[in-house]
Amino acid sequence: MSVFANTPEPPYTAVIFSSVRTQGGAVDERADDPGYDRMSERMFALAAEQPGYLGVESAHDASLGITVSYWVDEAAAASWKQVAEHLVAQARGRDVWYSDYRVRVANVTRAYGPGGLA
Amino acid sequence: MSVFANTPEPPYTAVIFSSVRTQGGAVDERADDPGYDRMSERMFALAAEQPGYLGVESAHDASLGITVSYWVDEAAAASWKQVAEHLVAQARGRDVWYSDYRVRVANVTRAYGPGGLA
């Protein structure tokens, strides 16, 4: 399976979530937090069940994590933000897991890969 | 210094570059390629000198790298794509460094952090 989200031709919506874990967020510290890993896996699975979900891409290193989720439109992305179980995870993220983060909601207008337009 | 791009209030433009390195792109293999590291550092420095540059965020793990660069508008992002030295790096990326990638150009409409609106 491709690590890339299988997004259609634009337009669609991207939610860019950039985060720094508490305690510096180092990879080896993260392994000591099964609660975080369980939540993270559960959120990926739950997002994939939502209406309008297109896919997700995620990369994490010692200093920063970036997860980009893709949605058919801003309304679908906004609905995912309000899913009850996700609200609980967001609160725990703010209180415990993340020392800081940014969320940016953006409308994709153009996409391409090595072979040209996606 | 913050690892987050110091972006202003939206609107602005995000270029989401997701990439898989050749040979699986594992972190320990990457360390063996000083040409890639030099190019990467040079491109971060060169991008920062371009008109309309707002900042960049980047995270890489064994399976995927995600770099998001932020620009005042789509025109500024498009100009950076055409900078001569960057065109050379893009060609070398396609031919040598990346087994696959996606570029998505998106207009940020909303941004927030733990404290509310960014």
Side-chain angles (χ1 to χ4, degrees), chain A residues 47-103:
Chain A
E49 295 171 5
Q50 301 308 308
Y53 171 87
L54 295 176
V56 69
E57 294 170 1
S58 196
H60 294 80
D61 59 34
S63 55
L64 190 68
I66 302 179
T67 296
V68 188
S69 60
Y70 295 99
W71 303 87
V72 290
D73 54 26
E74 283 201 41
S79 294
W80 163 235
K81 187 174 192 300
Q82 297 303 325
V83 168
E85 196 176 336
H86 187 203
L87 287 171
V88 174
Q90 289 171 62
R92 186 138 180 90
R94 276 191 302 272
D95 294 346
V96 179
W97 288 312
Y98 302 119
S99 65
D100 203 356
Y101 63 82
R102 298 290 182 275
V103 178

Side-chain angles (χ1 to χ4, degrees), chain A:
Chain A
M1 209 189 89
S2 173
V3 292
F4 299 111
N6 186 24
T7 44
E9 206 177 315
Y12 51 87
T13 295
V15 179
I16 307 163
F17 175 61
S18 308
S19 61
V20 174
R21 292 288 310 277
T22 41
Q23 301 181 305
V27 170
D28 53 355
E29 292 166 349
R30 208 178 297 150
D32 295 335
D33 189 345
Y36 176 79
D37 291 340
R38 267 201 308 273
M39 179 282 294
S40 177
E41 282 175 32
R42 173 67 185 147
M43 287 304 115
F44 281 113
L46 189 62
E49 295 171 5
Q50 301 308 308
Y53 171 87
L54 295 176
V56 69
E57 294 170 1
S58 196
H60 294 80
D61 59 34
S63 55
L64 190 68
I66 302 179
T67 296
V68 188
S69 60
Y70 295 99
W71 303 87
V72 290
D73 54 26
E74 283 201 41
S79 294
W80 163 235
K81 187 174 192 300
Q82 297 303 325
V83 168
E85 196 176 336
H86 187 203
L87 287 171
V88 174
Q90 289 171 62
R92 186 138 180 90
R94 276 191 302 272
D95 294 346
V96 179
W97 288 312
Y98 302 119
S99 65
D100 203 356
Y101 63 82
R102 298 290 182 275
V103 178
R104 294 178 178 98
V105 182
N107 293 312
V108 178
T109 58
R110 223 154 46 86
Y112 55 92
L117 294 178

